[in-house]
């Protein structure tokens, strides 16, 4: 029964994502436009170039980044057995921010410079910084044997690296605008190359998470129960941390910090269907992609021709949803008494 509902939900999320992908091709700086007119496209090659080279890769890239964050959120919540865990829990966000700040300060890049070489350099720096921050967390926690130690180490690493980023920003005030833009999150610079990288990472992380889903199911019953099932917990926990780091690092490197997508996506899935982690990680990826794609469309359309930072929009909408969810559950418990 639950498996059937999960399949229908996956199909529905995919269909809505395809519809939003088409809508994304029609939303530009002047709001909603009619673009699917072959005669107009043939007569105006610039319009076709805008749709194919800017809008479509941006919309698809937003879906891929959201899918990576949704998958990472499901893995984090299952690994730490905490519904409030998010993909940035192991310090990856602070590591990416610090690396971007270091790159900007070291090479003297202008905040307004958006050449693809510069973008690739900042993207690579953000990915490396996110992965190194997770490795530092693992070193501080002395491995993955103790989940609580890993959690505390992630919080400490996040605070320390965040403070280091602030010191660099204070010392180099000219990079403040670029660092702030990275913190707010943006899908505006996503192209086909970025979409290709994220698609490859998503495929790898989805396969790995699907294979490791029995470990998450076992951990949900408690570490003692999981160990009694004969699961090699240390090795599999390390593999889950690797999936979490790769998925988060790939998304953050391309879009900056996108808040609440990885936290809200698994909650939305669990509110619709109760299922095993094998389906949960897949559905959370589909839900996360849909959330970020919808937020990207709203960010482009609400104040056109101006554009809202998509990370701010996801924070407002995701935070409002979680507050409503907590309020509803609180009322439900009160009635139960």
């Amino acid at each position: 029964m639950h498996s059937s509902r999960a399949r229908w939900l996956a199909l529905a999320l995919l269909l809505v994502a395809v519809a939003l992908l088409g809508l994304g091709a029609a939303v530009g700086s002047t709001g909603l436009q009619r673009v699917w007119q072959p005669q107009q496209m043939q007569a105006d090659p610039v319009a076709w170039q805008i749709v194919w080279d800017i809008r479509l890769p941006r919309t698809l890239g937003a879906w891929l980044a959201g899918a990576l964050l949704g998958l990472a959120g499901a893995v984090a919540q299952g690994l730490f057995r905490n519904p409030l865990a998010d993909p940035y829990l192991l310090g990856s966000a602070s590591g990416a921010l610090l690396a971007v700040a270091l790159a900007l300060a070291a090479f003297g890049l202008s905040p307004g410079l958006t050449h693809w070489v510069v973008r690739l350099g900042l993207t690579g720096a953000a990915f490396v910084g996110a992965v190194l921050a997770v490795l530092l967390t693992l070193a501080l926690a002395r491995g993955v044997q103790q989940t609580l130690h890993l959690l505390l180490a992630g919080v400490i690493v996040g605070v320390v690296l965040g403070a280091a980023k602030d010191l660099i920003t204070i010392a180099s005030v000219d990079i403040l605008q670029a660092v702030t833009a990275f913190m707010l999150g943006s899908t505006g610079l996503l192209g086909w190359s970025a979409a290709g990288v994220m698609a490859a990472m998503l495929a790898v992380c989805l396969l790995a998470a699907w294979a490791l889903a029995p470990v998450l199911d076992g951990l949900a019953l408690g570490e003692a129960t999981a160990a009694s099932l004969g699961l090699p917990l240390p090795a599999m926990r390390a593999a889950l941390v690797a999936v979490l780091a790769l998925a988060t690092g790939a998304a953050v490197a391309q879009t900056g910090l996108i808040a609440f997508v990885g936290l809200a996506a698994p909650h939305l899935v669990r509110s619709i269907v109760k299922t095993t982690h094998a389906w949960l990680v897949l559905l959370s990826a589909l839900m996360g992609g849909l959330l970020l794609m919808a937020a990207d469309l709203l960010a482009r359309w609400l104040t056109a021709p101006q554009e809202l930072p998509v990370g701010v929009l996801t924070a407002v909408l995701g935070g409002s949803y979680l507050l409503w969810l907590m309020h509803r559950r609180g009322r439900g418990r009160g009635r139960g008494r």
Side-chain angles (χ1 to χ4, degrees), residues 62-91:
W63 185 89
L64 290 167
L68 285 166
L69 292 175
L71 182 151
V75 171
Q77 291 175 16
L79 178 63
F80 294 107
R81 290 181 292 159
N82 187 338
L84 295 179
D86 75 346
Y88 306 141
L89 203 57
L90 297 182

Side-chain angles (χ1 to χ4, degrees), residues 168-232:
I168 294 173
T169 306
I170 292 172
S172 304
V173 183
D174 55 328
I175 69 171
L176 179 60
Q177 183 179 347
V179 173
T180 303
F182 188 84
M183 291 177 63
L184 294 177
S186 174
T187 54
L189 297 177
L190 292 177
W192 287 117
S193 59
V197 170
M198 288 191 290
M201 282 290 188
L202 179 61
V204 171
C205 292
L206 263 179
L207 288 174
W210 185 281
L212 294 167
V215 183
L216 297 175
D217 292 333
L219 288 174
L221 302 174
E223 294 199 17
T225 303
S228 68
L229 295 175
L231 297 173

Side-chain angles (χ1 to χ4, degrees), residues 260 267-268 271-272 316-332:
F260 277 103
H267 281 279
L268 279 169
S271 68
I272 299 172
V316 171
L317 297 178
S320 300
Y321 164 74
L322 291 177
L323 286 173
W324 173 80
L325 186 63
M326 292 175 61
H327 175 69
R328 189 184 68 172
R329 289 182 177 179
R331 290 183 60 184

Side-chain angles (χ1 to χ4, degrees), residues 49-78:
Q49 186 176 11
I50 290 173
V51 170
W52 179 254
D53 292 336
I54 298 177
R55 295 180 187 172
L56 281 178
R58 173 178 179 167
T59 307
L60 180 61
W63 185 89
L64 290 167
L68 285 166
L69 292 175
L71 182 151
V75 171
Q77 291 175 16

Side-chain angles (χ1 to χ4, degrees), residues 223-275:
E223 294 199 17
T225 303
S228 68
L229 295 175
L231 297 173
L233 288 184
M236 290 189 165
R237 200 182 275 127
L240 286 168
V241 170
V243 171
L244 176 60
L246 287 176
T248 306
V252 169
Q254 301 293 344
T255 63
L257 304 189
I258 304 293
F260 277 103
V261 171
L263 180 61
H267 281 279
L268 279 169
V269 171
R270 282 192 290 262
S271 68
I272 299 172
V273 61
K274 304 296 182 184
T275 185

Side-chain angles (χ1 to χ4, degrees), residues 29-221:
S29 60
T30 58
L32 188 63
Q33 302 167 348
R34 295 180 63 186
V35 298
W36 302 116
Q37 297 179 358
Q39 294 180 351
Q40 180 182 352
M41 288 297 180
Q42 293 176 1
D44 189 359
V46 175
W48 170 252
Q49 186 176 11
I50 290 173
V51 170
W52 179 254
D53 292 336
I54 298 177
R55 295 180 187 172
L56 281 178
R58 173 178 179 167
T59 307
L60 180 61
W63 185 89
L64 290 167
L68 285 166
L69 292 175
L71 182 151
V75 171
Q77 291 175 16
L79 178 63
F80 294 107
R81 290 181 292 159
N82 187 338
L84 295 179
D86 75 346
Y88 306 141
L89 203 57
L90 297 182
S92 56
S94 298
L97 272 173
L98 176 60
V100 167
L102 283 171
L104 289 170
F107 297 107
L109 303 180
S110 170
L113 197 58
T114 56
H115 192 271
W116 69 270
V117 174
V118 173
R119 178 63 179 171
L120 181 62
L122 293 182
T123 298
F127 181 78
V128 171
V131 173
L132 289 179
V134 174
L135 292 177
L136 179 59
T137 299
L138 292 175
L140 187 61
R142 296 181 180 179
V144 296
Q145 287 79 8
Q146 296 293 329
T147 304
L148 181 59
H149 290 175
L150 191 62
L151 183 62
L152 292 175
V155 173
I156 293 171
V157 168
V159 172
V160 172
L161 295 186
K165 180 267 300 178
D166 291 337
L167 289 175
I168 294 173
T169 306
I170 292 172
S172 304
V173 183
D174 55 328
I175 69 171
L176 179 60
Q177 183 179 347
V179 173
T180 303
F182 188 84
M183 291 177 63
L184 294 177
S186 174
T187 54
L189 297 177
L190 292 177
W192 287 117
S193 59
V197 170
M198 288 191 290
M201 282 290 188
L202 179 61
V204 171
C205 292
L206 263 179
L207 288 174
W210 185 281
L212 294 167
V215 183
L216 297 175
D217 292 333
L219 288 174
L221 302 174

